[in-house]
Amino acid sequence: MKKGQLGFLAGTHMVNDLYQGAIPAMLPFLMSQRHYSYAAVSGLAFAASGVSSLFQPLFGVLSDRKTRSWLVPTGFCTAAFGVAAAGLSGNYLVTWLCVALAGIGIAAYHPPATSQARAAGGSSQKAMSIFSVGGTVGGAIAPTLVTLVIGGAGFTGSYLLAIPALVTGLLWGIKGPWMRARGHTPAAPLVTGASGKPGTGANGRADDWRSFARLVAVVAGWSVPYVTVTAMVSLHAQRDLGQSTAAGAAVLSTYTASGAVGTLLGGWVGDRYGRMTSVRVGYLVALPALLGIAWAPAFPVLVLCAAVFGVAMFLPFAAQVTLAQDYLPNRPGTASGLTLGLAMAVGGLCSPAFGWLADASGLPAVFYALLAVFVIPVVMAVRLPERTLNVPDSAAPPRPEPARTHEVQ
Protein backbone atom coordinates (compact mmCIF):
# COMPACT_ATOMS: atom_id res chain seq x y z
CA MET A 1 0.00 0.00 0.00
CA LYS A 2 1.43 3.36 -1.03
CA LYS A 3 0.20 5.26 2.00
CA GLY A 4 1.41 8.69 0.93
CA GLN A 5 -0.38 8.58 -2.41
CA LEU A 6 -3.50 7.04 -0.90
CA GLY A 7 -3.68 9.65 1.86
CA PHE A 8 -3.26 12.49 -0.62
CA LEU A 9 -6.01 11.07 -2.85
CA ALA A 10 -8.31 10.76 0.18
CA GLY A 11 -7.64 14.46 0.83
CA THR A 12 -8.57 15.37 -2.74
CA HIS A 13 -11.73 13.27 -2.37
CA MET A 14 -12.64 15.25 0.73
CA VAL A 15 -12.24 18.52 -1.18
CA ASN A 16 -14.18 17.30 -4.21
CA ASP A 17 -17.15 15.99 -2.23
CA LEU A 18 -17.12 19.13 -0.09
CA TYR A 19 -18.49 20.91 -3.16
CA GLN A 20 -20.94 18.09 -3.76
CA GLY A 21 -22.29 18.70 -0.25
CA ALA A 22 -22.07 22.50 -0.57
CA ILE A 23 -24.78 22.71 -3.23
CA PRO A 24 -27.67 21.30 -1.14
CA ALA A 25 -26.37 23.32 1.83
CA MET A 26 -26.75 26.51 -0.24
CA LEU A 27 -30.38 25.85 -1.17
CA PRO A 28 -31.98 27.17 2.07
CA PHE A 29 -29.99 30.40 1.68
CA LEU A 30 -31.13 30.71 -1.93
CA MET A 31 -34.73 30.35 -0.81
CA SER A 32 -34.46 32.87 2.02
CA GLN A 33 -32.25 35.48 0.34
CA ARG A 34 -33.26 35.18 -3.32
CA HIS A 35 -36.80 33.97 -2.66
CA TYR A 36 -36.55 30.93 -4.92
CA SER A 37 -39.51 28.57 -4.90
CA TYR A 38 -39.37 24.85 -4.04
CA ALA A 39 -39.59 24.09 -7.76
CA ALA A 40 -36.65 26.41 -8.44
CA VAL A 41 -34.37 24.85 -5.83
CA SER A 42 -35.44 21.38 -6.96
CA GLY A 43 -34.22 22.36 -10.42
CA LEU A 44 -30.86 23.36 -8.94
CA ALA A 45 -30.62 20.07 -7.06
CA PHE A 46 -31.20 18.21 -10.33
CA ALA A 47 -28.59 20.37 -12.08
CA ALA A 48 -26.05 19.20 -9.51
CA SER A 49 -26.87 15.54 -8.98
CA GLY A 50 -28.60 14.66 -12.24
CA VAL A 51 -26.05 16.25 -14.56
CA SER A 52 -23.18 14.81 -12.49
CA SER A 53 -24.62 11.30 -12.60
CA LEU A 54 -25.13 11.45 -16.37
CA PHE A 55 -21.62 12.72 -17.11
CA GLN A 56 -19.71 10.48 -14.71
CA PRO A 57 -19.87 7.30 -16.86
CA LEU A 58 -18.60 9.34 -19.82
CA PHE A 59 -15.56 10.44 -17.86
CA GLY A 60 -15.09 6.83 -16.84
CA VAL A 61 -14.87 5.77 -20.48
CA LEU A 62 -12.39 8.59 -21.19
CA SER A 63 -10.15 7.60 -18.29
CA ASP A 64 -10.13 3.98 -19.49
CA ARG A 65 -8.93 4.86 -22.99
CA LYS A 66 -5.95 6.82 -21.75
CA THR A 67 -4.55 7.78 -18.36
CA ARG A 68 -5.85 11.26 -17.65
CA SER A 69 -4.65 12.11 -14.16
CA TRP A 70 -5.21 15.80 -14.91
CA LEU A 71 -8.96 15.16 -14.62
CA VAL A 72 -8.54 14.85 -10.84
CA PRO A 73 -7.44 18.47 -10.11
CA THR A 74 -9.47 19.81 -13.04
CA GLY A 75 -12.55 18.14 -11.59
CA PHE A 76 -12.45 19.56 -8.07
CA CYS A 77 -11.28 22.99 -9.28
CA THR A 78 -14.16 23.15 -11.78
CA ALA A 79 -16.56 22.14 -9.00
CA ALA A 80 -15.21 24.92 -6.79
CA PHE A 81 -15.56 27.50 -9.56
CA GLY A 82 -19.14 26.44 -10.25
CA VAL A 83 -20.17 26.63 -6.58
CA ALA A 84 -18.50 30.02 -6.03
CA ALA A 85 -19.95 31.44 -9.27
CA ALA A 86 -23.44 30.17 -8.38
CA GLY A 87 -23.24 32.11 -5.11
CA LEU A 88 -22.08 35.29 -6.83
CA SER A 89 -24.65 35.12 -9.62
CA GLY A 90 -27.97 36.88 -9.16
CA ASN A 91 -29.72 35.40 -12.19
CA TYR A 92 -31.48 32.03 -11.85
CA LEU A 93 -30.47 30.71 -15.29
CA VAL A 94 -26.82 31.61 -14.71
CA THR A 95 -27.01 30.05 -11.25
CA TRP A 96 -28.44 26.85 -12.76
CA LEU A 97 -25.65 26.69 -15.34
CA CYS A 98 -23.00 27.26 -12.67
CA VAL A 99 -24.42 24.50 -10.49
CA ALA A 100 -24.51 22.18 -13.52
CA LEU A 101 -20.85 23.06 -14.21
CA ALA A 102 -20.01 22.14 -10.61
CA GLY A 103 -21.77 18.82 -11.12
CA ILE A 104 -19.71 18.12 -14.23
CA GLY A 105 -16.52 18.88 -12.31
CA ILE A 106 -17.54 16.51 -9.53
CA ALA A 107 -18.27 13.83 -12.14
CA ALA A 108 -14.89 14.33 -13.86
CA TYR A 109 -13.03 13.72 -10.61
CA HIS A 110 -14.41 10.37 -9.48
CA PRO A 111 -13.48 7.75 -12.15
CA PRO A 112 -9.74 8.61 -12.49
CA ALA A 113 -9.31 9.28 -8.77
CA THR A 114 -10.98 5.98 -7.83
CA SER A 115 -8.76 4.07 -10.27
CA GLN A 116 -5.66 5.77 -8.84
CA ALA A 117 -6.77 4.93 -5.30
CA ARG A 118 -7.20 1.27 -6.26
CA ALA A 119 -3.74 1.26 -7.82
CA ALA A 120 -2.19 2.81 -4.71
CA GLY A 121 -4.02 0.45 -2.35
CA GLY A 122 -3.66 -2.76 -4.34
CA SER A 123 -6.04 -5.51 -3.23
CA SER A 124 -6.62 -3.94 0.20
CA GLN A 125 -10.27 -3.18 0.94
CA LYS A 126 -9.11 -0.99 3.82
CA ALA A 127 -7.25 1.22 1.35
CA MET A 128 -10.39 1.81 -0.73
CA SER A 129 -12.39 2.48 2.43
CA ILE A 130 -9.88 5.17 3.46
CA PHE A 131 -10.24 6.83 0.06
CA SER A 132 -14.05 6.57 0.24
CA VAL A 133 -14.32 8.00 3.74
CA GLY A 134 -12.44 11.09 2.55
CA GLY A 135 -15.47 11.94 0.43
CA THR A 136 -17.83 11.24 3.32
CA VAL A 137 -15.91 13.65 5.54
CA GLY A 138 -15.99 16.33 2.83
CA GLY A 139 -19.74 16.03 2.45
CA ALA A 140 -20.20 16.15 6.22
CA ILE A 141 -18.26 19.39 6.74
CA ALA A 142 -19.83 21.17 3.74
CA PRO A 143 -22.97 22.43 5.56
CA THR A 144 -20.88 23.94 8.35
CA LEU A 145 -18.52 25.67 5.90
CA VAL A 146 -21.40 27.03 3.80
CA THR A 147 -23.18 28.29 6.91
CA LEU A 148 -20.05 30.05 8.16
CA VAL A 149 -19.29 31.69 4.80
CA ILE A 150 -22.71 32.57 3.42
CA GLY A 151 -24.37 32.96 6.81
CA GLY A 152 -21.62 35.36 7.87
CA ALA A 153 -20.67 37.22 4.68
CA GLY A 154 -23.67 36.59 2.47
CA PHE A 155 -23.46 35.39 -1.11
CA THR A 156 -20.88 38.09 -1.86
CA GLY A 157 -18.42 35.99 0.15
CA SER A 158 -19.02 32.85 -1.93
CA TYR A 159 -15.58 33.15 -3.50
CA LEU A 160 -14.14 32.03 -0.15
CA LEU A 161 -15.62 28.58 -0.77
CA ALA A 162 -13.09 28.06 -3.56
CA ILE A 163 -10.07 28.29 -1.24
CA PRO A 164 -9.89 24.54 -0.35
CA ALA A 165 -9.78 23.60 -4.05
CA LEU A 166 -7.17 26.24 -4.89
CA VAL A 167 -4.88 25.07 -2.09
CA THR A 168 -5.33 21.40 -3.02
CA GLY A 169 -4.77 22.18 -6.70
CA LEU A 170 -1.51 23.91 -5.84
CA LEU A 171 -0.40 20.89 -3.81
CA TRP A 172 -1.30 18.63 -6.72
CA GLY A 173 0.84 20.75 -9.03
CA ILE A 174 3.97 20.49 -6.87
CA LYS A 175 3.40 16.85 -5.89
CA GLY A 176 4.93 15.40 -9.06
CA PRO A 177 8.24 17.30 -8.99
CA TRP A 178 8.56 16.71 -5.24
CA MET A 179 8.10 12.95 -5.67
CA ARG A 180 10.59 12.78 -8.54
CA ALA A 181 13.16 14.80 -6.59
CA ARG A 182 12.96 12.29 -3.73
CA GLY A 183 13.08 9.27 -6.04
CA HIS A 184 9.56 8.13 -5.20
CA THR A 185 7.73 5.96 -7.72
CA PRO A 186 4.03 6.36 -8.51
CA ALA A 187 1.64 3.45 -8.12
CA ALA A 188 1.35 1.29 -11.23
CA PRO A 189 -1.84 1.84 -13.23
CA LEU A 190 -4.72 -0.45 -12.33
CA VAL A 191 -4.96 -1.67 -15.91
CA THR A 192 -1.52 -2.77 -17.08
CA GLY A 193 -2.58 -3.90 -20.54
CA ALA A 194 -4.49 -6.67 -22.20
CA SER A 195 -3.30 -10.21 -22.50
CA GLY A 196 -3.29 -10.05 -26.26
CA LYS A 197 -6.58 -11.94 -26.62
CA PRO A 198 -9.64 -10.00 -27.79
CA GLY A 199 -12.00 -8.96 -25.00
CA THR A 200 -9.57 -9.64 -22.20
CA GLY A 201 -8.35 -7.20 -19.60
CA ALA A 202 -5.74 -7.13 -16.85
CA ASN A 203 -4.22 -10.50 -15.99
CA GLY A 204 -5.81 -12.02 -19.09
CA ARG A 205 -9.35 -11.86 -17.67
CA ALA A 206 -12.40 -10.93 -19.73
CA ASP A 207 -14.90 -8.29 -18.65
CA ASP A 208 -17.85 -9.93 -16.89
CA TRP A 209 -20.69 -7.64 -18.00
CA ARG A 210 -23.42 -9.92 -16.68
CA SER A 211 -22.15 -9.84 -13.09
CA PHE A 212 -21.42 -6.14 -13.42
CA ALA A 213 -25.02 -5.46 -14.50
CA ARG A 214 -26.24 -7.31 -11.41
CA LEU A 215 -23.97 -5.19 -9.23
CA VAL A 216 -25.24 -1.98 -10.83
CA ALA A 217 -28.80 -3.10 -10.08
CA VAL A 218 -27.80 -3.76 -6.46
CA VAL A 219 -26.21 -0.32 -6.09
CA ALA A 220 -29.24 1.31 -7.71
CA GLY A 221 -31.47 -0.46 -5.18
CA TRP A 222 -29.09 0.62 -2.40
CA SER A 223 -29.33 4.27 -3.42
CA VAL A 224 -33.13 4.46 -3.09
CA PRO A 225 -33.35 3.92 0.71
CA TYR A 226 -30.06 5.76 1.28
CA VAL A 227 -31.21 8.98 -0.42
CA THR A 228 -34.74 8.83 0.98
CA VAL A 229 -33.71 8.12 4.58
CA THR A 230 -31.16 10.95 4.38
CA ALA A 231 -33.91 13.34 3.29
CA MET A 232 -36.63 12.21 5.69
CA VAL A 233 -35.20 10.76 8.90
CA SER A 234 -34.89 14.20 10.49
CA LEU A 235 -38.49 15.06 9.61
CA HIS A 236 -39.56 11.67 10.97
CA ALA A 237 -38.06 12.53 14.36
CA GLN A 238 -39.77 15.91 14.45
CA ARG A 239 -43.21 15.19 13.04
CA ASP A 240 -43.87 11.63 14.19
CA LEU A 241 -41.94 11.51 17.48
CA GLY A 242 -42.46 15.12 18.58
CA GLN A 243 -38.79 16.07 18.74
CA SER A 244 -37.20 19.48 18.26
CA THR A 245 -35.36 20.72 15.19
CA ALA A 246 -32.07 20.21 17.01
CA ALA A 247 -32.99 16.61 17.79
CA GLY A 248 -33.89 16.03 14.16
CA ALA A 249 -30.51 17.39 13.10
CA ALA A 250 -28.83 15.17 15.70
CA VAL A 251 -30.33 11.97 14.31
CA LEU A 252 -29.30 13.00 10.79
CA SER A 253 -25.75 13.73 11.98
CA THR A 254 -25.66 10.35 13.73
CA TYR A 255 -26.75 8.65 10.53
CA THR A 256 -24.11 10.50 8.46
CA ALA A 257 -21.30 9.85 10.94
CA SER A 258 -22.25 6.18 11.11
CA GLY A 259 -21.74 5.98 7.35
CA ALA A 260 -18.11 7.01 7.79
CA VAL A 261 -17.66 4.38 10.50
CA GLY A 262 -19.27 1.76 8.29
CA THR A 263 -16.98 2.60 5.38
CA LEU A 264 -13.83 2.10 7.46
CA LEU A 265 -15.23 -0.99 9.19
CA GLY A 266 -16.17 -2.48 5.82
CA GLY A 267 -12.58 -2.12 4.63
CA TRP A 268 -11.30 -3.94 7.71
CA VAL A 269 -13.89 -6.72 7.41
CA GLY A 270 -13.13 -7.10 3.70
CA ASP A 271 -9.41 -7.54 4.28
CA ARG A 272 -9.86 -9.93 7.19
CA TYR A 273 -12.84 -12.04 6.14
CA GLY A 274 -13.24 -11.32 2.42
CA ARG A 275 -15.07 -8.51 0.70
CA MET A 276 -18.19 -10.58 0.01
CA THR A 277 -18.58 -10.91 3.77
CA SER A 278 -18.78 -7.13 4.12
CA VAL A 279 -21.30 -6.98 1.25
CA ARG A 280 -23.58 -9.71 2.60
CA VAL A 281 -23.40 -8.70 6.25
CA GLY A 282 -24.02 -5.06 5.35
CA TYR A 283 -27.18 -5.71 3.36
CA LEU A 284 -28.57 -8.32 5.75
CA VAL A 285 -28.11 -6.01 8.76
CA ALA A 286 -29.44 -2.94 6.93
CA LEU A 287 -32.81 -4.60 6.26
CA PRO A 288 -33.93 -5.01 9.92
CA ALA A 289 -32.37 -1.64 10.79
CA LEU A 290 -34.62 0.01 8.19
CA LEU A 291 -37.57 -1.82 9.74
CA GLY A 292 -36.53 -0.34 13.09
CA ILE A 293 -36.55 3.19 11.63
CA ALA A 294 -40.07 2.66 10.33
CA TRP A 295 -41.33 1.09 13.57
CA ALA A 296 -39.40 3.22 16.14
CA PRO A 297 -41.84 4.08 18.98
CA ALA A 298 -39.42 6.47 20.72
CA PHE A 299 -36.60 8.83 19.77
CA PRO A 300 -33.73 6.78 21.31
CA VAL A 301 -34.86 3.76 19.29
CA LEU A 302 -34.86 5.87 16.13
CA VAL A 303 -31.34 7.14 16.82
CA LEU A 304 -30.05 3.61 17.47
CA CYS A 305 -31.67 2.18 14.34
CA ALA A 306 -30.45 5.11 12.21
CA ALA A 307 -26.90 4.55 13.49
CA VAL A 308 -27.03 0.81 12.74
CA PHE A 309 -28.55 1.49 9.34
CA GLY A 310 -25.82 4.01 8.49
CA VAL A 311 -23.05 1.57 9.44
CA ALA A 312 -24.67 -1.33 7.59
CA MET A 313 -25.36 0.64 4.40
CA PHE A 314 -21.73 1.71 4.07
CA LEU A 315 -20.18 -1.58 5.16
CA PRO A 316 -20.23 -2.84 1.53
CA PHE A 317 -19.24 0.50 -0.06
CA ALA A 318 -15.51 -0.07 -0.64
CA ALA A 319 -16.10 -3.69 -1.61
CA GLN A 320 -18.66 -2.68 -4.23
CA VAL A 321 -16.18 -0.30 -5.86
CA THR A 322 -13.37 -2.86 -6.08
CA LEU A 323 -15.78 -5.61 -7.11
CA ALA A 324 -17.05 -3.44 -9.97
CA GLN A 325 -13.47 -2.87 -11.12
CA ASP A 326 -12.75 -6.60 -10.99
CA TYR A 327 -15.89 -7.41 -12.99
CA LEU A 328 -14.59 -5.00 -15.66
CA PRO A 329 -10.80 -5.36 -15.30
CA ASN A 330 -10.13 -3.61 -18.60
CA ARG A 331 -12.49 -0.71 -17.84
CA PRO A 332 -12.01 0.40 -14.22
CA GLY A 333 -13.02 3.98 -14.99
CA THR A 334 -16.24 2.85 -16.61
CA ALA A 335 -16.91 0.56 -13.65
CA SER A 336 -16.42 3.41 -11.18
CA GLY A 337 -18.45 5.85 -13.25
CA LEU A 338 -21.46 3.57 -13.56
CA THR A 339 -21.52 2.31 -9.97
CA LEU A 340 -20.77 5.67 -8.31
CA GLY A 341 -22.62 7.82 -10.83
CA LEU A 342 -25.49 6.48 -12.86
CA ALA A 343 -26.64 3.85 -10.36
CA MET A 344 -26.56 6.36 -7.52
CA ALA A 345 -28.81 8.68 -9.54
CA VAL A 346 -31.70 6.24 -9.20
CA GLY A 347 -32.22 7.27 -5.57
CA GLY A 348 -32.51 10.91 -6.53
CA LEU A 349 -34.91 10.17 -9.38
CA CYS A 350 -37.17 8.13 -7.08
CA SER A 351 -37.20 10.64 -4.22
CA PRO A 352 -40.14 12.74 -5.59
CA ALA A 353 -42.35 9.63 -5.62
CA PHE A 354 -41.62 8.98 -1.96
CA GLY A 355 -42.28 12.67 -1.24
CA TRP A 356 -45.75 12.33 -2.75
CA LEU A 357 -46.32 9.19 -0.67
CA ALA A 358 -45.29 11.10 2.47
CA ASP A 359 -47.79 13.86 1.68
CA ALA A 360 -50.56 11.31 1.14
CA SER A 361 -49.90 8.72 3.85
CA GLY A 362 -47.21 10.03 6.23
CA LEU A 363 -43.55 9.29 6.75
CA PRO A 364 -43.93 5.82 8.37
CA ALA A 365 -45.62 4.65 5.16
CA VAL A 366 -42.56 5.85 3.23
CA PHE A 367 -40.18 3.80 5.36
CA TYR A 368 -42.32 0.67 5.07
CA ALA A 369 -42.45 1.16 1.30
CA LEU A 370 -38.66 1.51 1.27
CA LEU A 371 -38.43 -1.73 3.22
CA ALA A 372 -40.41 -3.56 0.54
CA VAL A 373 -38.27 -2.08 -2.24
CA PHE A 374 -35.02 -2.82 -0.40
CA VAL A 375 -35.73 -6.56 -0.20
CA ILE A 376 -34.86 -6.91 -3.91
CA PRO A 377 -31.28 -5.53 -3.77
CA VAL A 378 -30.64 -7.43 -0.53
CA VAL A 379 -31.52 -10.75 -2.21
CA MET A 380 -29.40 -9.84 -5.23
CA ALA A 381 -26.45 -8.70 -3.09
CA VAL A 382 -26.10 -11.97 -1.18
CA ARG A 383 -25.98 -13.83 -4.51
CA LEU A 384 -23.29 -11.68 -6.16
CA PRO A 385 -20.31 -13.78 -7.30
CA GLU A 386 -16.78 -13.04 -6.13
CA ARG A 387 -14.07 -12.34 -8.66
CA THR A 388 -10.41 -12.06 -7.76
CA LEU A 389 -7.92 -10.70 -10.27
CA ASN A 390 -4.77 -10.73 -8.15
CA VAL A 391 -4.36 -6.94 -8.26
CA PRO A 392 -0.75 -6.11 -7.32
CA ASP A 393 -0.69 -5.54 -3.59
CA SER A 394 1.46 -2.57 -2.65
CA ALA A 395 1.45 -3.80 0.92
CA ALA A 396 3.68 -6.73 -0.01
CA PRO A 397 7.41 -6.43 0.78
CA PRO A 398 9.09 -4.50 -2.03
CA ARG A 399 11.77 -6.07 -4.16
CA PRO A 400 15.34 -4.97 -3.52
CA GLU A 401 16.08 -1.86 -5.54
CA PRO A 402 18.98 0.51 -6.03
CA ALA A 403 19.74 2.76 -3.07
CA ARG A 404 18.46 5.90 -4.81
CA THR A 405 14.97 4.52 -5.44
CA HIS A 406 12.39 4.56 -2.69
CA GLU A 407 8.79 3.38 -2.55
CA VAL A 408 6.17 5.85 -1.35
CA GLN A 409 5.10 5.06 2.18
Side-chain angles (χ1 to χ4, degrees):
M1 182 190 301
K2 294 183 178 293
K3 297 180 180 178
Q5 293 182 39
L6 185 65
F8 186 76
L9 284 169
T12 65
H13 199 187
M14 180 181 70
V15 171
N16 184 78
D17 283 18
L18 183 151
Y19 296 107
Q20 189 171 33
I23 295 170
M26 291 172 66
L27 298 183
F29 293 99
L30 291 171
M31 292 186 69
S32 62
Q33 298 185 28
R34 297 185 185 174
H35 308 292
Y36 287 168
S37 65
Y38 283 108
V41 297
S42 296
L44 293 176
F46 172 77
S49 60
V51 171
S52 178
S53 298
L54 291 174
F55 272 83
Q56 195 157 301
L58 300 180
F59 285 112
V61 173
L62 286 175
S63 64
D64 284 337
R65 292 180 178 177
K66 182 180 179 181
T67 301
R68 292 178 170 87
S69 59
W70 56 268
L71 278 175
V72 174
T74 301
F76 62 71
C77 287
T78 300
F81 175 80
V83 168
L88 295 172
S89 170
N91 178 273
Y92 178 78
L93 177 59
V94 176
T95 302
W96 193 96
L97 292 173
C98 290
V99 170
L101 179 64
I104 293 172
I106 292 165
Y109 168 88
H110 278 111
T114 304
S115 295
Q116 289 185 37
R118 180 72 190 280
S123 60
S124 172
Q125 302 302 303
K126 180 181 178 181
M128 184 56 70
S129 71
I130 292 172
F131 171 75
S132 300
V133 85
T136 305
V137 172
I141 65 177
T144 301
L145 180 63
V146 169
T147 301
L148 288 174
V149 172
I150 297 179
F155 279 107
T156 56
S158 296
Y159 67 92
L160 296 172
L161 295 173
I163 292 177
L166 294 176
V167 173
T168 307
L170 177 62
L171 293 174
W172 182 277
I174 65 176
K175 172 178 68 74
W178 180 84
M179 288 175 60
R180 288 192 293 271
R182 292 177 60 86
H184 290 198
T185 58
L190 182 58
V191 177
T192 56
S195 65
K197 299 179 181 179
T200 60
N203 298 302
R205 297 292 295 272
D207 293 330
D208 185 354
W209 285 99
R210 182 176 181 180
S211 296
F212 178 74
R214 292 170 61 184
L215 177 61
V216 169
V218 169
V219 176
W222 175 95
S223 72
V224 174
Y226 167 68
V227 171
T228 306
V229 170
T230 302
M232 296 187 176
V233 70
S234 179
L235 293 173
H236 184 40
Q238 297 174 52
R239 298 184 179 183
D240 298 321
L241 299 179
Q243 299 298 310
S244 65
T245 302
V251 70
L252 179 59
S253 297
T254 300
Y255 173 59
T256 305
S258 298
V261 174
T263 303
L264 292 174
L265 181 61
W268 178 83
V269 170
D271 282 344
R272 187 172 181 86
Y273 301 105
R275 63 183 169 187
M276 297 313 299
T277 299
S278 62
V279 171
R280 291 162 183 158
V281 170
Y283 278 92
L284 290 174
V285 172
L287 193 63
L290 181 57
L291 174 61
I293 292 175
W295 164 79
F299 182 67
V301 177
L302 177 63
V303 173
L304 176 62
C305 291
V308 174
F309 187 65
V311 171
M313 287 292 278
F314 279 87
L315 203 68
F317 195 83
Q320 288 176 161
V321 174
T322 60
L323 191 61
Q325 293 172 336
D326 285 349
Y327 284 154
L328 302 184
N330 207 34
R331 297 172 177 83
T334 301
S336 302
L338 288 172
T339 53
L340 297 177
L342 198 58
M344 287 287 289
V346 174
L349 293 174
C350 293
S351 59
F354 287 103
W356 296 329
L357 179 60
D359 288 335
S361 304
L363 289 172
V366 170
F367 293 117
Y368 282 114
L370 285 175
L371 189 67
V373 171
F374 193 44
V375 169
I376 298 173
V378 170
V379 172
M380 294 181 67
V382 298
R383 295 173 61 85
L384 283 172
E386 173 63 285
R387 197 185 200 201
T388 303
L389 292 181
N390 298 320
V391 175
D393 191 351
S394 299
R399 297 178 181 178
E401 296 187 2
R404 292 184 179 180
T405 303
H406 305 281
E407 291 292 330
V408 174
Q409 296 295 331

